[in-house]
Amino acid sequence: MAAGAAVPVISAREDLPADLTSASSEPPSLFDGTTRLYVAYHCPYAQRVWIARNCKGLQGKIKIVALDLVDRPAWYKDKVYPENKVPALEHNKQVKGESLNLLKYIDDNFDGAELLPHDSAKKMFAEELLAYSDSFNASAFFSCLRSKGDVTDEAVAAVDKIEAALGKFSDGPFFLGHFSLVDIAYVPFIERLEISYSGIKNYDIIGGRPNLGRFIEEVNKINAYTQTKLDTQVTLDIIKEKFGIP
């Protein structure tokens, strides 16, 4: 499929495995030729790579292994990924981590829809946005939710920057016009911002931000993404627990 083409629609919901816990005494048969993506269903970093896998139609080639991060199996750190984090990808007798690196790795090393365009201006902007993503997450999500009271000025500025970025190209509602790896990197956090700002800060993230509103509307039409979402209330409860919010 050519770069910039529509993401393939996945009509059937995948039958996902249950979380593995410390009581799951045996690890998978490592390095047996099976490609495995280790995730936690509620983790936005793991969600990034899960979405990319779905977008490229790799459900039959990359097996999901879900972990309970509160009660994760000891074998995961000892035998699979010493960093003991998700996501991690087991492929070609190696285990790799870090979500942004894995997005590019999956796009470069597996068949399916290309997740970055060939246009040089869009590729350059993609790299700028990917480099900014950690700063955005820190300002708009982590720092804001750790603060008391209203949404911080720093968070508002970060979200406004995303609103402006979404208006750079006019050939579609996404960061590079058409849905791409950049959208995959940002959407798990935008999803959580919309939920937490509304449910905790009483703040409408799309108010006065038409580009962001259109982005959220259109991305929720992409099955490769929506199949990775948890129930809104479940996500809000997880966020509240993480940040100690009653």
Side-chain angles (χ1 to χ4, degrees), residues 67-86:
L67 303 177
D68 182 335
L69 296 188
V70 176
D71 185 27
R72 74 192 78 187
W75 53 255
Y76 182 64
K77 179 179 181 180
D78 295 341
K79 298 183 178 182
V80 179
Y81 191 47
E83 296 291 332
N84 205 24
K85 300 186 296 185
V86 292

Side-chain angles (χ1 to χ4, degrees), residues 11 16 52 54 124 126 149 177 207 211 213 235:
S11 56
L16 295 169
N54 291 354
M124 183 178 298
N211 294 332
T235 298

Side-chain angles (χ1 to χ4, degrees), residues 36-38 76 80-81 87-92 94-98 101-102 105 109:
R36 298 179 177 90
L37 176 61
Y38 296 86
Y76 182 64
V80 179
Y81 191 47
L89 182 72
E90 177 190 340
H91 181 238
N92 284 347
Q94 294 182 315
V95 177
K96 302 175 183 293
E98 300 301 328
N101 293 341
L102 289 180
Y105 181 86
N109 289 276

Side-chain angles (χ1 to χ4, degrees), residues 182-194:
V182 178
D183 305 292
I184 293 171
Y186 276 88
V187 71
F189 291 92
I190 291 174
E191 172 193 328
R192 285 159 179 78
L193 287 184
E194 184 181 24

